[in-house]
Amino acid sequence: MAQDLRLVLPQLIVLLTAMLALVAEMLRWRRAGLATVAVGLGAATVVSAGRLAVQATAFSGTFRVGLLNHWSVLILCPTAVLCGLLARQELRGTPREGTVYSLLCFGTLGALVLAGSGDVMLLVLGLLMTSLSGFALAAYAKTEAGTEGALKYFIYGTVTTAVLVFGLSYWVGLTGSTLLSALSQPNLPAPLLAFGFVALLTGLGYAASVFPFHFWTPDTLEGAPVSVAAYLSVVPKIGAFFGLAQVCRSLPATAVDWPLVLALLAVASMTFGNVLALLQTNLVRLLAYSTVAQAGFFLLPLVGVRGALALPALVVFAAAYAAMNTGAFAIVLHTGRTLADFKRLGTTRIFTGLAMTVFLFSLVGIPPLAGFTGKLLLFESAMAAGYTWLAVVAVLNSAIALAVYSRIIVAMYFAAAPGPPAPPAPTWEIRTVVVACLLVTLGLTLAAQLFF
C-alpha cells in the first residue's frame, strides 16, 4: 500500500492542492488560492520529473505508472498553472474567482487519472472529474452565450458518459475483470468488443472534441471566459487521448479493426475542423474548430500505438500543442476576440505579433518549429503502422490549416485598413503566460534539432 501511494504521489499532491485552493476560496484568500495552485502543481511536476524512468503499476494494476503517466503530469500541471494566471487576469475580483482555481486542479486531476488508467473504473472516474469541473468552469460567465454553451457541454457530456459506462459494462461482463489488460484475452467475442469500443470512443471522443462528438466545442468555448476556453481546449483533450492510448495498448486489433476506425475519424476530424475554421471571424470559434482539427492529428499515433514511435510522438505533439494553443489563447485574451481586433497588431505590438506568429506557424507545422517536429513524428508513426494514406491526408490538411492561420497573420501585418487603437501593454500575467509558452515552443524546436 505504501509503495502504491508513493507511485501516485504526483496525483495525491494535485488532489491536496485542489482541496487547499478550495479552502482558500472559502476564506476569501483568492491570491493565496492562486499561489497554492502554482506551488502545488509545480511540486507535482518536479516529483514527476524525478521519476521518468519508473515503469510500474499501482493498486493491483488499476493505475499504470509509465511514459504517459509521467508526461501527463509534466504537460498538464504547468498548463493548468498558466490557465490559472489567465483566469487571474480575466476574472480578478469577480465572485467565485477562487473557485476557478480549485476547479482547474480537480479537472487536471481527472485528466491525470485518465492518462494513467489501467482499469475501466478509473477511466470513468477520470472522465467524470474532468467533465464535472469543465461544466462548472464553462458556466462561470453567467451570460446568455455562456449559459447556452455550458448547457450544451453538460447535455453532451452526460449522454456520452452514460453511453461510455453502458459500453464498458459489456467489457467487464465479457472479461470478468475491470482491468484493461483483461481485454487481451484470446477468443473474446468480436461484436461485444466492438460495441464497447464504440461506446468508449463516444465518451472519450466528446472530451477530446473528435468529430462527430465535437458539437459542444465552438459554442462552449465562445461562451466561456477565454482563460477557461484555453484550459478546456488543452487539458481534458490531452487526458482523453492519453486514456484512449492506454485502452488501445490492451485491445487486440484482431478482434476489432479499431486502427481503421481511428484513421477514418482522424480524416473526418482534421478536414471538418479545418474547413469550418476557414469560415470564422471570431477567433475563439476559429481556435475551437482548430482544436477539432488538431484532435484528428492526435489520433494518428494511436492507429499504431504498439509501435516504438507512437507514444513518444503522442507525447511530443501533446507538449507542443499545449504550449502553442495556450499561448494563442493568451494573446486573444489580451488583444480581442475578432479578426478585426488583430489588424496591424504586428506593427503596434511587435513582440505580441511575433509571438502570435510563432504559435500559429507552429500550429500549422511550419519547420523547424515544435509543431512541425510533433507532426512529423505523428506522420512517421502512422506510416510505420502501414497507414501511409493517412499521413498523406494529414499533410494535405496541414496545407488547409496554413490558410486558416494565415488570415490572422495577414490581418496583423498586411491589413489595408487601419485597425483599432493598439491594445494596452500586457499585464504581468499575460506576459508570463506568453513568454512561458514561447520558451517551451522554441525549446522543443531546439530539442528537436538536437535529438531528431
Side-chain angles (χ1 to χ4, degrees):
M1 186 65 173
Q3 175 65 15
D4 290 337
L5 292 176
R6 278 195 289 272
L7 288 172
V8 298
L9 182 59
Q11 286 74 22
L12 291 177
I13 293 175
V14 175
L15 173 61
L16 180 63
T17 302
M19 296 172 67
L20 290 176
L22 196 57
V23 171
E25 166 60 8
M26 293 168 64
L27 298 173
R28 294 293 184 265
W29 295 346
R30 287 164 182 161
R31 295 185 66 178
L34 180 58
T36 301
V37 170
V39 172
L41 298 191
T45 305
V46 170
V47 170
S48 197
R51 52 172 66 182
L52 281 175
V54 176
Q55 301 282 332
T57 59
F59 303 110
S60 303
T62 57
F63 192 83
R64 295 171 175 174
V65 179
L67 180 75
L68 293 178
N69 166 66
H70 297 315
W71 280 98
S72 64
V73 178
L74 295 178
I75 295 170
L76 300 184
C77 286
T79 301
V81 173
L82 295 180
C83 290
L85 287 174
L86 294 181
R88 175 66 179 167
Q89 159 69 25
E90 189 175 19
L91 308 175
R92 180 189 285 111
T94 59
R96 300 175 290 115
E97 174 197 340
T99 308
V100 171
Y101 305 138
S102 61
L103 287 173
L104 292 176
C105 288
F106 281 119
T108 303
L109 177 61
L112 299 181
V113 171
L114 275 173
S117 293
D119 186 282
V120 296
M121 300 305 293
L122 284 189
L123 278 176
V124 174
L125 176 63
L127 186 60
L128 285 175
M129 291 182 66
T130 304
S131 299
L132 292 175
S133 303
F135 300 154
L137 287 168
Y140 185 89
K142 285 190 174 180
T143 60
E144 186 174 340
T147 303
E148 179 187 350
L151 190 60
K152 286 183 178 179
Y153 190 23
F154 175 74
I155 292 173
Y156 274 98
T158 51
V159 171
T160 56
T161 303
V163 172
L164 178 138
V165 172
F166 183 64
L168 292 184
S169 66
Y170 276 81
W171 276 1
V172 174
L174 193 66
T175 61
S177 171
T178 58
L179 292 175
L180 295 177
S181 57
L183 295 171
S184 58
Q185 297 176 28
N187 303 321
L188 292 176
L192 293 182
L193 280 177
F195 179 77
F197 185 67
V198 170
L200 178 86
L201 276 183
T202 303
L204 294 184
Y206 128 81
S209 298
V210 174
F211 178 90
F213 312 110
H214 69 284
F215 282 106
W216 61 274
T217 307
D219 291 335
T220 302
L221 297 195
E222 184 184 13
V226 176
S227 52
V228 171
Y231 174 83
L232 293 179
S233 68
V234 174
V235 175
K237 177 187 291 289
I238 292 177
F241 279 116
F242 281 19
L244 184 59
Q246 295 285 16
V247 176
C248 292
R249 292 171 67 191
S250 302
L251 190 64
T254 52
V256 183
D257 194 2
W258 52 263
L260 179 60
V261 174
L262 294 181
L264 295 176
L265 281 179
V267 171
S269 200
M270 286 185 289
T271 308
F272 179 86
N274 279 327
V275 170
L276 267 292
L278 265 175
L279 307 176
Q280 308 303 317
T281 55
N282 182 307
L283 289 194
V284 176
R285 289 187 73 85
L286 186 150
L287 290 175
Y289 280 110
S290 166
T291 200
V292 176
Q294 299 292 345
F297 287 98
F298 269 104
L299 288 173
L300 263 67
L302 300 189
V303 300
V305 73
R306 294 194 180 93
L309 192 57
L311 293 185
L314 180 61
V315 167
V316 170
F317 185 69
Y321 173 80
M324 52 201 185
N325 208 57
T326 305
F329 269 104
I331 293 177
V332 169
L333 173 61
H334 171 245
T335 305
R337 289 178 174 238
T338 68
L339 199 57
D341 293 327
F342 277 72
K343 283 184 177 178
R344 293 291 177 182
L345 178 69
T347 56
T348 56
R349 290 288 175 196
I350 295 175
F351 175 77
T352 305
L354 285 174
M356 190 64 169
T357 303
V358 170
F359 296 140
L360 295 178
F361 276 157
S362 189
L363 280 167
V364 173
I366 299 292
L369 295 170
F372 167 75
T373 305
K375 287 188 175 181
L376 187 62
L377 291 172
L378 299 184
F379 300 159
E380 290 180 0
S381 64
M383 292 168 62
Y387 284 83
T388 303
W389 64 268
L390 178 58
V392 172
V393 173
V395 171
L396 294 175
N397 267 283
S398 294
I400 303 175
L402 179 60
V404 172
Y405 299 123
S406 293
R407 296 172 62 213
I408 305 173
I409 294 172
V410 167
M412 287 195 299
Y413 291 101
F414 306 109
T427 61
W428 72 268
E429 292 96 342
I430 296 285
R431 283 200 303 271
T432 301
V433 174
V434 171
V435 170
C437 292
L438 196 58
L439 288 176
V440 172
T441 303
L442 296 178
L444 286 172
T445 301
L446 180 61
Q449 304 306 312
L450 295 175
F451 299 109
F452 296 101

